[in-house]
Amino acid sequence: MKKILLVEDDEMLLKSLSYYLQMNQFEVLPYDNGADALALLHQEIEEIDLIITDLNLPFAGGQQIIESVRKEKKSKLPVIVLTASGIESTELEMLELGADEFISKPFSPAILLKRIQKLIGN
């Protein structure tokens, strides 16, 4: 079963998206802040198949997560950014940092699932 690290500080979205992904046969590691997610990545990056992260998070944001994965870990681990920011410059910046997908909130879970399947299968 593929493992997804899900980092989202909106509690309802974190719970509902975790449930949706679990129902679609993914193991979900849910975190509500960037610092705890980074700590997990430093220990278990090889165990994770995909990261879904918000940009604006407590303690460490999605940008730091992407930078950690790409620069420190030199990993090709797929990263999907979820954010309420629909600003083109933000999207370009995240893609340049190494994000694989950028999805603006609100979004369709079915579309997110298709993008996940495109990146890592099921």
Side-chain angles (χ1 to χ4, degrees), residues 70-114:
R70 296 293 184 253
K71 292 184 177 141
E72 294 170 33
K73 299 292 185 183
K74 309 230 182 309
S75 172
K76 299 286 185 207
L77 183 63
V79 178
I80 296 176
V81 173
L82 295 179
T83 185
S85 170
I87 302 169
E88 182 180 354
S89 61
T90 303
E91 183 173 352
L92 289 170
E93 184 182 343
M94 292 309 105
L95 293 171
E96 285 174 14
L97 267 179
D100 296 281
E101 292 280 352
F102 187 96
I103 301 176
S104 293
K105 296 175 189 174
F107 61 92
S108 158
I111 295 293
L112 175 62
L113 183 62
K114 284 292 178 204

Side-chain angles (χ1 to χ4, degrees), residues 5 15 26 30-31 35 45 47 59 65 67 69-71 76 84-85 99 103-104 116 119:
L5 172 60
K15 286 181 178 178
F26 292 102
Y31 285 85
I45 192 165
E47 308 295 316
F59 310 117
I65 291 171
E67 287 174 345
V69 168
R70 296 293 184 253
K71 292 184 177 141
K76 299 286 185 207
S85 170
I103 301 176
S104 293
I116 291 169
L119 289 169

Side-chain angles (χ1 to χ4, degrees), residues 23-55:
M23 291 299 101
N24 283 282
Q25 310 307 310
F26 292 102
E27 182 178 341
V28 180
L29 306 169
Y31 285 85
D32 64 0
N33 71 80
D36 289 346
L38 283 170
L40 175 79
L41 280 170
H42 285 297
Q43 294 172 1
E44 299 184 32
I45 192 165
E46 295 82 17
E47 308 295 316
I48 297 167
D49 296 294
L50 175 88
I51 299 170
I52 300 173
T53 184
D54 190 2
L55 280 182

Side-chain angles (χ1 to χ4, degrees), residues 4-8 10-32 52 82 107 109 112:
I4 296 176
L5 172 60
L6 176 59
V7 194
E8 170 59 61
D10 179 313
E11 186 180 348
M12 285 303 297
L13 182 56
L14 183 64
K15 286 181 178 178
S16 61
L17 199 49
S18 293
Y19 178 78
Y20 179 79
L21 293 171
Q22 288 165 352
M23 291 299 101
N24 283 282
Q25 310 307 310
F26 292 102
E27 182 178 341
V28 180
L29 306 169
Y31 285 85
D32 64 0
I52 300 173
L82 295 179
F107 61 92
L112 175 62

